[in-house]
Amino acid sequence: MIEARPALVVPGELLFARFAYRPNALGYCGGDDAVALLQHIAAGVVDPELVRLCREFEGAYPYLERIAADAGIANPLDADVVEAYWIGSDLLEATNPGDFQIDLTGRFRGRTTRREWPWLAAKPAAGALPHHSFHVLEVFPRVGLIRGGAAAAIVPTMNQCLVRPAEVVAVEPGGLLVRARGLELEDGRLRLGEPRLEQCLRESDGLAGLSQAAPGDTVAIHWGWACDRLDPRRRRNLERATDRSLAQANTTI
């Protein structure tokens, strides 16, 4: 059993794990040991095993590498890099569009149709940034054939994958009742709708991912999981990055 230790500042590896745990537990991405990931989160321990677990996220980790390289940061799991990817920050503005486009070519050209690829390839030059919302709103829909008429079917999944701010209404056993805006498709355009009540988890198998939350707090939710509390600055950063990705996505949906 991993021995817990107090943490004053959340290291990047743990911050990454908080957001990556739930889709890993659902079998969507990452390696095959979600329990170990959650154990590290609950105990607050950073070690070589956690680093290995984080690197196994083949969808997210290359974005961290891109952000770190363009910002001149050696460690892709640096806390500022991880924050920029999942939440958003000014660090994203250092992204080199040409290098970002090269990354996308290597990763996704072979997975998109001949008709779809030019739309995705043009995104970095148009101002897209390597934020998680870009992957959800631009990459996943094209791999998922949104332009082939399946939009209505995959928008609920995109909504779950999108990291969204949510206001805590009540604390429940093992979870939270929150109020959040959900992703919708209206008149052929993606948008965030009016706030609505949702339930999300904050612990699993007796291990807490988010140990402290109270009514009135704002939390980031991802795949029905409360990842982290957000102060006003971080909430604004998340909303700004998501709005930018939505605007970009709606130019070519």
Side-chain angles (χ1 to χ4, degrees):
M1 190 68 178
I2 299 171
E3 183 179 353
R5 62 167 174 78
L8 300 178
V9 178
V10 179
E13 295 86 351
L14 287 174
L15 184 62
F16 181 87
R18 287 182 179 182
F19 285 85
Y21 162 71
R22 184 60 177 170
N24 187 216
L26 293 171
Y28 296 141
C29 56
D32 58 2
D33 199 350
V35 173
L37 201 64
L38 183 57
Q39 287 175 339
H40 281 82
I41 296 168
V45 168
V46 175
D47 59 16
E49 182 187 16
L50 179 59
V51 172
R52 177 185 62 79
L53 292 169
C54 292
R55 287 176 174 169
E56 289 181 337
F57 284 80
E58 61 180 17
Y61 196 77
Y63 289 110
L64 302 185
E65 292 179 310
R66 175 79 276 134
I67 296 168
D70 288 339
I73 297 173
N75 179 15
L77 289 169
D78 179 273
D80 288 340
V81 173
V82 175
E83 175 85 4
Y85 174 68
W86 289 115
I87 300 296
S89 75
D90 292 341
L91 204 63
L92 293 173
E93 300 297 337
T95 300
N96 181 296
D99 290 339
F100 188 21
Q101 197 272 341
I102 290 171
D103 287 352
L104 294 179
T105 300
R107 297 177 66 194
F108 303 117
R109 185 170 187 175
R111 298 173 60 187
T112 56
T113 66
R114 182 176 300 178
R115 185 181 68 174
E116 288 296 328
W117 170 246
W119 296 110
L120 185 59
K123 291 295 181 173
L129 299 174
H131 185 258
H132 179 66
S133 60
F134 166 82
H135 187 79
V136 176
L137 299 171
E138 299 278 21
V139 176
F140 175 74
R142 287 182 165 79
V143 173
L145 303 178
I146 192 170
R147 292 176 63 87
I154 68 170
V155 166
T157 302
M158 292 166 64
N159 179 62
Q160 287 295 307
C161 191
L162 194 67
V163 175
R164 295 174 290 135
E167 180 184 350
V168 177
V169 175
V171 177
E172 302 175 334
L176 303 170
L177 180 66
V178 301
R179 183 177 289 108
R181 300 173 68 191
L183 188 68
E184 301 173 347
L185 186 70
E186 183 176 273
D187 298 327
R189 293 292 181 265
L190 294 167
R191 63 184 290 270
L192 291 173
E194 294 300 314
R196 63 193 181 196
L197 292 176
E198 301 181 29
Q199 290 182 310
C200 64
L201 298 171
R202 64 187 180 98
E203 66 178 56
S204 179
D205 297 324
L207 296 173
L210 183 65
S211 59
Q212 296 180 348
D217 285 349
T218 298
V219 297
I221 59 174
H222 186 215
W223 284 105
W225 178 258
C227 306
D228 202 6
R229 288 184 295 173
L230 301 177
D231 61 21
R233 176 188 61 82
R234 297 177 79 210
R235 177 171 184 159
R236 287 193 299 270
N237 285 345
L238 177 56
E239 290 174 336
R240 182 165 56 244
T242 303
D243 287 347
R244 180 167 177 165
S245 294
L246 277 168
Q248 286 278 333
N250 281 327
T251 64
T252 54
I253 190 171

